[in-house]
Amino acid sequence: MNNQNTAAKLNASTFDVEKIRADFPILQQHVNGKPLVYLDNAATAQKPKQVIETLDTYYREYNSNIHRGVHTLSQKATDAYESAREKVKTFLNANSSKEIIFTRGATEAINLVAQSFGRDTISVGDEIIITELEHHSNIVPWQLLCEQTGATLRYIPINDAGELILEEYEKLLNKKTSIVAVGHISNALGTINPIKTIIDKAHAVGAKVLIDGAQAVPHTKADVQELDCDFYVFSGHKLFGPTGIGVLYGKEALLDAMPPYQGGGDMIQTVSMTKSTFNALPHKFEAGTPHIAGVIGLGAAIDYVNAIDIDVTAQYENELLDYANEQAAQITDLNFVGTAQNKTSILSFTLGRIHPHDIGTILDGEGVAIRAGHHCAMPVMERFEIPATARASFAFYNTREEVDALIQAIDKCIMVFG
Ligand code: 7TS
């Protein structure tokens, strides 16, 4: 079902998952009397002790505000904050650290682009293209922008497997297309979108492209220069880092021309009673005291991911998903939602007439944590004419034994609800 890479496969088979699991203290517990099986990684991933200890050390040893203190602790905090920006720059292969803006998360990063770039450049009659697969945070900011500017929102439809229909995308593109905003990987179905093709086609009509990488960066490499996307966003907490911190990558020339999103401390050069001038990139977009600990913790998460090689973990996760699919396919009444050729880490399903929330509750009783609901992707549910799915989402610390526990818990569900 998934792309196979022989070299990576060899490594994946020697991938030491128990060694990785030992880094995640939260996984070593029982929930409802059963060993915790955490399969809600698409909602948020767990944190390795390296990240937890980095946060602890920051607060214990050098908590201080940044970019303003001459004292030693403030300089240390500033250095750690800015060195995390360098790590993100390298992680995304951005051209310059000026292109890396820290936000509260993917959601805030998309809102920033819509309200700063969008309001500055879009007017009545312009068109914005998104897809039926998007998370609400890559829908609602564009709906708001359309209401504010008189632009029109268009959707690339999906087929029954949950794949974007590219012929329809080509029909939507025209000279009025200003922005194309697409998720790299779908949170509801796990579909990996052909974003390079989408970006190139958008550029051919002069549109700018935002890629929502919230579900992608934990599973795959994102090279913004190779992709040539104009904006790329992600959230730290899905990448094994802290909550409340995220990243907006934008091409320097675009960010430079954009007006500030929020006003406040740190984003200004001068302020008089009548006028203010603004700080250089990236600070122009980081008003107020930022989430310093979050940024430093995100840097530690990136160090962690870099150390274990994302190509190997991606292959391991693909093999785990294949195994889960094989096991799940044997359950009568289990209906897969999202069967894209190119997908990763997500098993979304319905089970006869049993409501997904009931599935979630029974599974929780067995120590198995999944998410049930519309996954903040209501248009996807509408497309499949279902109110909700049960969704197991995998990370590199999950195991085949945990997949077995999931399947047993689903069997129990069927027994309980008959
Ligand atoms: N984009 C995608 C593709 C997402 O999956 C999510 C969160 C977001 C954006 C928003 O991220 P945030 O960190 O700013 O909230 N997705 C999910 C999910 O699937 N279950 O809980 C949150």
Side-chain angles (χ1 to χ4, degrees):
M1 177 168 234
N2 301 294
N3 291 339
Q4 303 271 311
N5 169 313
T6 317
K9 192 171 170 142
L10 288 176
N11 289 333
S13 63
T14 55
F15 174 64
D16 189 350
V17 68
E18 290 308 327
K19 186 160 170 277
I20 298 288
R21 288 178 71 80
D23 288 334
F24 290 80
I26 206 168
L27 299 178
Q28 329 292 327
Q29 66 178 300
H30 283 64
V31 168
N32 294 323
K34 306 278 169 58
L36 169 64
V37 174
Y38 186 78
L39 299 178
D40 196 18
N41 295 287
T44 198
Q46 300 303 348
K47 322 304 172 199
K49 59 180 191 273
Q50 290 82 344
V51 168
I52 299 168
E53 283 161 10
T54 298
L55 295 174
D56 188 72
T57 304
Y58 166 70
Y59 282 123
R60 281 177 193 277
E61 296 178 14
Y62 62 102
N63 171 57
S64 232
N65 214 326
I66 55 166
H67 297 148
R68 49 197 97 192
V70 292
H71 61 81
T72 304
L73 295 195
S74 174
Q75 281 174 9
K76 195 168 171 194
T78 304
D79 287 349
Y81 184 91
E82 291 303 333
S83 107
R85 197 190 305 277
E86 288 298 324
K87 289 175 192 179
V88 176
K89 179 210 143 198
T90 308
F91 182 68
L92 291 179
N93 192 29
N95 195 33
S96 154
S97 57
K98 290 185 200 160
E99 299 178 317
I100 305 300
I101 313 292
F102 289 117
T103 63
R104 280 195 297 125
T107 301
E108 191 183 43
I110 298 169
N111 278 279
L112 191 164
V113 174
Q115 289 302 310
S116 171
F117 177 76
R119 285 190 89 166
D120 200 40
T121 56
I122 283 180
S123 51
V124 186
D126 285 345
E127 296 180 0
I128 297 167
I129 298 179
I130 60 173
T131 86
E132 274 183 359
L133 271 181
E134 299 314 306
H135 185 278
H136 296 165
S137 60
N138 199 27
I139 302 175
V140 186
W142 306 115
Q143 289 176 336
L144 292 172
L145 178 64
C146 286
E147 278 168 25
Q148 290 157 349
T149 59
T152 306
L153 195 56
R154 306 242 181 258
Y155 290 81
I156 309 174
I158 53 176
N159 62 21
D160 290 343
E163 295 160 326
L164 296 177
I165 305 175
L166 289 183
E167 302 80 61
E168 296 298 324
Y169 171 50
E170 283 176 29
K171 287 186 209 156
L172 291 174
L173 279 170
N174 63 64
K175 290 270 172 267
K176 287 186 277 181
T177 310
S178 304
I179 299 177
V180 176
V182 177
H184 192 162
I185 294 180
S186 152
N187 72 313
L189 308 182
T191 312
I192 304 174
N193 290 322
I195 54 168
K196 181 63 185 150
T197 307
I198 289 171
I199 293 164
D200 291 347
K201 288 189 189 299
H203 284 166
V205 298
K208 301 294 181 222
V209 186
L210 177 142
I211 301 295
D212 173 1
Q215 294 295 341
V217 289
H219 305 294
T220 186
K221 276 207 179 94
D223 180 328
V224 293
Q225 292 194 70
E226 193 182 307
L227 289 169
D228 193 30
C229 53
D230 300 286
F231 302 101
Y232 193 98
V233 308
F234 72 88
S235 292
H237 68 99
K238 295 184 201 285
L239 186 65
F240 316 99
T243 51
I245 191 67
V247 168
L248 164 65
Y249 156 83
K251 283 183 182 163
E252 188 175 344
L254 292 175
L255 291 174
D256 221 17
M258 282 159 53
Y261 171 57
Q262 294 183 328
D266 229 22
M267 55 74 72
I268 51 86
Q269 210 162 42
T270 61
V271 177
S272 77
M273 298 220 284
T274 50
K275 190 169 166 47
S276 303
T277 56
F278 305 122
N279 204 340
L281 290 175
H283 311 294
K284 182 172 81 173
F285 291 108
E286 293 178 5
T289 300
H291 186 3
I292 303 166
V295 168
I296 296 170
L298 175 60
I302 288 176
D303 286 342
Y304 187 83
V305 173
N306 284 342
I308 54 176
D309 190 342
I310 202 158
D311 287 334
V312 173
T313 54
Q315 191 57 37
Y316 174 81
E317 289 169 358
N318 282 344
E319 288 171 17
L320 201 60
L321 181 65
D322 285 346
Y323 179 64
N325 281 332
E326 278 161 28
Q327 300 300 308
Q330 312 202 2
I331 301 175
T332 327
D333 281 353
L334 187 144
N335 177 46
F336 293 94
V337 184
T339 49
Q341 277 293 313
N342 201 10
K343 68 174 280 186
T344 185
S345 297
I346 291 197
L347 170 56
S348 227
F349 63 95
T350 57
L351 200 56
R353 294 165 65 88
I354 308 173
H355 194 282
H357 285 132
D358 291 332
I359 302 173
T361 305
I362 298 285
L363 265 56
D364 181 54
E366 300 299 303
V368 180
I370 60 153
R371 184 170 173 191
H374 54 59
H375 315 297
C376 300
M378 288 174 87
V380 176
M381 301 299 125
E382 211 176 302
R383 169 64 177 74
F384 287 97
E385 296 177 348
I386 46 176
T389 74
R391 180 190 70 181
S393 51
F394 302 97
F396 51 60
Y397 44 60
N398 290 125
T399 64
R400 282 180 168 238
E401 291 70 32
E402 290 184 312
V403 170
D404 295 340
L406 167 71
I407 299 296
Q408 276 165 24
I410 296 174
D411 283 340
K412 176 152 187 191
C413 229
I414 295 168
M415 265 163 53
V416 170
F417 289 98

